[in-house]
């Protein structure tokens, strides 16, 4: 449509002529939408709001008096607010390239000022601190010209031919080299250990394989040996069974022969022995009977002899009374009693001799027994005999 103008998304449209803008600005600012502009009566210009870049390469002197060449990059743009657009439009609308030049000069001055208060070690090791201080000191000044700094990057710091930074880095390089050498040695050692471990594992695997192979071969050999021995073992077992059967047969034959010998020899011998024993017992019994008969005959003879000798015995007994003191109390009756006592005493002596001879050996003579009884002491000759 004729007279209708629209700014780009990264532009601000400045309309001059007619009424003033906000805050007494010499132009009106339009962003993000279109505006109808009367031709001839109004004039339209555009201010870029896009990001711009400025490079700074400045030679600065540190607090130690060492000259450093610092190279930095600044990323900036016109602020989005109305005031920043107005300030930037008034200063850079006719020559917008001057924004990068002026920004570089502003940052170069602040960079020299801040580096002058720092040492080389601080600058090298604390670059972010340096950039932050430069941004903080330049923020207010950049806002006055309508610019906003997004970032500041210190790209390089060079001491030229002094070699200060190089000397400062040597201990670190030595440490780094030493650490690298240690790391390399450790890596080499680890590699050697890994190779040794792999060799040990391989040797262990080979050993296990050899053991398994040996066990397999031994198992095969045992199976083969068992197979080879199966025939002889079976034959030996069969022969052993035959020998066992023959042994049992021989034992049975021996038992049978033993029974035959018992029946043929032992039993008849036992029968003969029993017959002889019975004959001997019969003979002994016969001899005993004969001995008893002979003894009985001797006792009969003894009795006869004693009877024949009885008067002599009584005579000998009465002869023993010849020197004794005899008191006759009853006269003739008392004498009769004495005679009867002598006869009874003789009979008692006869009976005792018979019994004594019966308990002695049959070879003893009867006269010897009688003589013992007759020769036995008959008491004290001086003692009185009281016949009542």
């Amino acid at each position: 449509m004729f007279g209708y103008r629209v700014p780009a998304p990264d532009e601000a449209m400045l309309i001059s002529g007619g009424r003033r803008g906000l805050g007494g600005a010499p132009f009106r600012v339009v962003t993000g939408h279109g505006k109808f502009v009367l031709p001839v009566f109004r004039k339209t210009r555009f201010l870029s709001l896009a990001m711009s870049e400025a490079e700074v390469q400045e030679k600065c002197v540190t607090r130690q008096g060492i000259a450093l060449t610092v190279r930095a990059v600044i990323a900036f743009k016109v602020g989005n607010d109305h005031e920043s657009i107005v300030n930037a439009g008034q200063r850079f609308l006719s020559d917008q390239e001057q924004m990068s030049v002026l920004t570089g000069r502003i940052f170069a001055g602040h960079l020299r000022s801040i580096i002058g208060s720092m040492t080389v070690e601080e600058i090298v090791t604390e670059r972010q601190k340096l950039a932050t201080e430069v941004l903080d000191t330049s923020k207010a000044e950049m806002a006055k010209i309508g610019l906003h700094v997004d970032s500041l990057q210190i790209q390089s710091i060079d001491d030229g031919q002094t070699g200060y930074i190089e000397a400062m880095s040597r201990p670190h390089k030595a440490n780094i080299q030493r650490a690298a050498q240690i790391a390399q040695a450790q890596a080499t050692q680890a590699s050697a250990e890994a190779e040794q471990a792999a060799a040990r594992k391989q040797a262990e695997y080979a050993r296990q394989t050899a053991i398994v192979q040996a066990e397999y071969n031994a198992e095969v050999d045992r199976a083969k040996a068992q197979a080879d021995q199966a025939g002889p073992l079976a034959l030996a077992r069969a022969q052993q069974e035959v020998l066992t059967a023959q042994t049992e047969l021989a034992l049975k034959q021996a038992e049978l022969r033993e029974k035959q010998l018992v029946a043929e020899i032992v039993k008849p011998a036992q029968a003969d022995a029993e017959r002889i024993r019975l004959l001997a017992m019969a003979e002994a019994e016969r001899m005993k009977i004969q001995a008893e008969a002979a003894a009985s005959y001797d006792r009969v003879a003894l009795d006869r002899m004693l009877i024949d000798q009885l008067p002599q015995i009584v005579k000998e007994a009465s002869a023993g009374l010849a020197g004794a003191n005899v008191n006759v109390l009853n006269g003739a009756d008392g004498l009769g009693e004495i005679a009867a006592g002598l006869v009874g005493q003789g009979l008692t002596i006869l009976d005792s001799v018979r019994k004594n001879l019966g308990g002695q050996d049959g070879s003893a003579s009867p006269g010897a027994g009688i003589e013992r009884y007759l020769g036995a002491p008959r008491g004290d000759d001086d003692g009185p005999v009281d016949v009542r």
Side-chain angles (χ1 to χ4, degrees), residues 79-116:
N80 293 328
D81 59 287
H82 184 272
E83 183 180 358
S84 297
I85 294 173
V86 172
N87 291 334
Q90 289 178 338
R91 291 170 176 81
F92 307 109
L93 185 59
S94 59
D95 188 2
Q96 297 187 25
E97 295 295 332
Q98 287 296 320
M99 288 190 293
S100 298
V101 176
L102 182 59
T103 299
R105 290 176 181 175
I106 293 172
F107 273 90
H110 290 291
L111 194 61
R112 286 195 302 270
S113 175
I114 293 172
I115 288 177

Side-chain angles (χ1 to χ4, degrees), residues 237-253:
R237 283 195 293 268
Q239 292 177 354
Q240 183 177 3
E241 291 177 357
V242 171
L243 291 175
T244 302
Q246 291 177 352
T247 302
E248 293 178 354
L249 179 60
L251 290 175
K252 291 181 179 180
Q253 291 177 351

Side-chain angles (χ1 to χ4, degrees), residues 30-161:
V30 178
T31 57
H33 60 86
K35 190 74 172 176
F36 183 78
V37 180
L38 291 175
V40 181
F41 297 99
R42 305 284 187 271
K43 189 174 183 179
T44 304
R45 304 287 296 274
F46 294 94
L47 179 66
S48 176
L49 301 179
M51 181 67 67
S52 299
E53 180 181 293
E55 292 187 0
V56 178
Q57 185 171 350
E58 191 69 20
K59 190 173 184 179
C60 306
V61 179
T62 65
R63 188 175 63 186
Q64 300 160 316
I66 298 172
L68 298 177
T69 301
V70 181
R71 184 173 179 270
V73 176
I74 304 100
F76 68 93
K77 64 181 292 293
V78 176
N80 293 328
D81 59 287
H82 184 272
E83 183 180 358
S84 297
I85 294 173
V86 172
N87 291 334
Q90 289 178 338
R91 291 170 176 81
F92 307 109
L93 185 59
S94 59
D95 188 2
Q96 297 187 25
E97 295 295 332
Q98 287 296 320
M99 288 190 293
S100 298
V101 176
L102 182 59
T103 299
R105 290 176 181 175
I106 293 172
F107 273 90
H110 290 291
L111 194 61
R112 286 195 302 270
S113 175
I114 293 172
I115 288 177
S117 63
M118 299 175 66
T119 63
V120 178
E121 288 79 7
E122 292 175 345
I123 295 169
V124 173
T125 58
E126 299 179 4
R127 290 190 180 187
Q128 187 60 38
K129 178 182 177 181
L130 173 62
T132 301
E133 290 185 0
V134 172
L135 283 175
D136 292 340
T137 56
S138 63
K139 185 181 297 183
E141 190 173 353
M142 293 291 289
K144 290 179 181 180
I145 61 177
L147 300 179
H148 175 75
V149 178
D150 288 338
S151 66
L152 170 63
Q153 295 294 330
I154 306 298
Q155 290 186 336
S156 65
I157 299 173
D158 187 10
D159 61 352
Q161 301 298 325

Side-chain angles (χ1 to χ4, degrees), residues 251-366:
L251 290 175
K252 291 181 179 180
Q253 291 177 351
E255 292 177 357
L256 180 60
R257 181 57 182 168
E258 182 180 359
K259 292 179 180 180
Q260 291 177 354
L261 291 174
V262 168
E264 294 175 357
I265 298 174
V266 176
K267 292 297 183 179
Q270 290 178 350
D272 291 340
E274 184 65 19
R275 181 177 60 79
I276 293 170
R277 186 181 66 81
L278 293 176
L279 292 175
M281 290 176 64
E283 183 64 22
E285 186 67 20
R286 185 182 65 79
M287 293 177 68
K288 180 180 179 182
I289 293 170
Q290 290 177 355
E292 289 177 353
S296 298
Y297 176 80
D298 290 339
R299 281 195 299 271
V300 171
L302 178 61
D303 290 341
R304 289 181 180 178
M305 184 183 65
L306 288 177
I307 291 169
D308 293 338
Q309 294 295 329
L310 181 58
Q312 183 67 26
I313 292 171
V314 173
K315 181 180 181 180
E316 291 292 334
S318 59
L321 296 174
N325 294 324
V326 179
N327 296 322
V328 179
L329 300 178
N330 296 325
D333 294 333
L335 291 175
E337 291 177 359
I338 292 173
L342 291 174
V343 174
Q345 186 177 2
L347 293 175
T348 302
I349 293 171
L350 178 63
D351 186 60
S352 297
V353 171
R354 185 184 296 116
K355 290 180 180 181
N356 188 22
L357 291 177
Q360 294 178 356
D361 191 0
S363 61
S365 63

